[in-house]
Amino acid sequence: MSIKSKQAVAHPNIALAKYWGKQSFGHNLPAVPSLSVTLAGMQTSTRVTFDTGLDKDELSLNGAPSGEVELGRVTNLLDRVRARAGFQDRARVESSNDFPTASGLASSASAFAALAVAACAAAELDASAEELSDLARKTSVSAARSLLGGFAELRAGREGDETLAAQQVAAPTHWDIAIVVAVTREGPKDVGSSDGMKHTMVTSPYSAAWVAAAPKMFELVRAGVLARDLTKLGPAVEQSALAMHAGAIAADPGIVYWTGATVEAILAVRKNRALGLEGYLTIDAGPHVKVLTRGSDAEAVAAAMEKVPGVLRTIIARPGLGARVVS
Ligand code: PMV
């Protein structure tokens, strides 16, 4: 019997320029470029054990056996690793998050980034950061960005692409910013991001407008990150999120991820900004509002957001490292 085992950690990321929609020509390629910040303080920890004694892959999430859908996505990634390593051993995957999955912090990004790193290490593959990012991206697009620390970008897929990896734009120490998450609901979201974006692309009259407009927002966000200029990138961060949601809302039937508390929080971010507390909002496929602000303003922004009706609690997150092997 042969056993090969490695553990890796990865952090969630928040997109400042959003990815929403896949290219129609397959290979799980994004239709628009995106740019995110990888967050310290919260992590997914995943151990992969290839064991010749197993007759199928096994997955446990936070100590409990997973459902078939999650296991299918994990096997999808492991099959690519096995093909490259040239063996067929099944694996036991034990994954846990030290942050609540309902906090609105994309757990699939950190999950598939940690899985890619742990699986390649356990299979004794010598994979580059690009190869690991591409491997994660083939199962979860946003996971490609969690491979990198700090600020990471992923360009749109082009016809003919079979590989596509995220690239680091700047290290975590490049810019002292914070993301304040205003949690507006406990419990799982209604429509997952994969289903939501597919439905949007197929049925929303705004999807072509989104794909046409997103690159400009991405460029503004990228330039603002490189220049460490919050006032410059903030409006593009807000427009990227609101345009993404406008497309989803206009789908048939429309997908509304927001609750009343989401709207209250949006208005509060703008009111606080007018009063001199500079923050810009972004929203993923759920009702939580995330506020991008200067590191030195994070506590004040969190205190202000906690006063918003319907905001249950806040989490302050700062730029962190990329995915890595820990043992
Ligand atoms: O790659 P997924 O299925 O986790 O989709 C991510 C979608 C958003 O979080 C809404 C935007 C993004 O770029 O992370």
Side-chain angles (χ1 to χ4, degrees):
M1 198 163 88
S2 137
I3 292 182
K4 300 195 217 62
S5 186
K6 286 284 183 208
Q7 188 177 16
V9 297
H11 307 290
N13 70 74
I14 298 285
L16 303 178
K18 299 294 184 199
Y19 146 65
W20 193 252
K22 296 182 202 295
Q23 296 290 27
S24 56
F25 36 79
H27 301 289
N28 209 35
L29 295 163
V32 297
S34 58
L35 191 151
S36 61
V37 53
T38 302
L39 302 173
M42 284 157 279
Q43 71 181 29
T44 297
S45 179
T46 300
R47 175 169 289 282
V48 173
T49 306
F50 288 108
D51 181 341
T52 49
L54 293 173
D55 56 15
K56 62 179 190 49
D57 292 328
E58 294 174 0
L59 170 65
S60 75
L61 295 173
N62 296 321
S66 79
E68 285 303 313
V69 177
E70 289 90 352
L71 179 61
R73 293 183 85 194
V74 164
T75 291
N76 177 279
L77 188 151
L78 293 174
D79 282 344
R80 295 178 202 283
V81 174
R82 283 187 280 254
R84 185 153 161 208
F87 65 70
Q88 282 308 315
D89 305 354
R90 302 290 110 182
R92 186 162 43 253
V93 178
E94 296 148 287
S95 187
S96 58
N97 291 331
D98 70 357
F99 54 96
T101 35
S103 62
L105 290 150
S107 53
S108 84
S110 51
F112 287 100
L115 179 67
V117 172
C120 286
E124 293 164 2
L125 285 176
D126 190 13
S128 66
E130 287 213 346
E131 288 167 329
L132 290 166
S133 175
D134 175 62
L135 174 66
R137 194 266 314 152
K138 286 182 159 88
T139 308
S140 164
V141 169
S142 61
R145 301 184 311 235
S146 274
L147 252 296
L148 288 316
F151 301 83
E153 66 181 338
L154 183 67
R155 70 164 171 80
R158 300 184 196 118
E159 200 138 17
D161 280 340
E162 292 207 355
T163 63
L164 178 64
Q167 309 285 340
Q168 190 178 57
V169 174
T173 50
H174 166 74
W175 192 18
D176 178 22
I177 53 106
I179 299 276
V180 178
V181 184
V183 178
T184 58
R185 189 178 69 193
E186 306 290 357
K189 60 190 173 193
D190 308 319
V191 183
S193 51
S194 299
D195 291 342
M197 68 178 76
K198 192 169 170 195
H199 179 70
T200 304
M201 292 299 275
V202 173
T203 69
S204 174
Y206 297 169
S207 56
W210 160 251
V211 171
K216 174 86 189 297
M217 300 172 209
F218 164 83
E219 287 302 338
L220 289 168
V221 169
R222 189 175 194 281
V225 166
L226 289 172
R228 301 186 191 90
D229 188 337
L230 184 67
T231 311
K232 182 168 173 176
L233 99 168
V237 169
E238 291 204 346
Q239 194 191 10
S240 174
L242 294 175
M244 173 200 127
H245 282 272
I249 289 167
D252 181 17
I255 306 170
V256 183
Y257 285 108
W258 301 358
T259 66
T262 312
V263 179
E264 292 288 352
I266 293 170
L267 299 177
V269 171
R270 292 182 159 184
K271 185 168 158 220
N272 293 333
R273 193 158 78 225
L275 295 172
L277 188 55
E278 194 173 2
Y280 297 90
L281 65 99
T282 186
I283 308 168
D284 292 303
H288 315 292
V289 173
K290 292 134 190 183
V291 190
L292 172 70
T293 189
R294 289 192 182 81
S296 53
D297 284 340
E299 278 76 18
V301 168
M305 296 311 291
E306 278 170 18
K307 293 202 190 96
V308 176
V311 171
L312 306 175
R313 60 198 165 86
T314 58
I315 302 166
I316 298 176
R318 298 175 197 271
L321 300 175
R324 58 212 180 268
V325 176
V326 287
S327 68

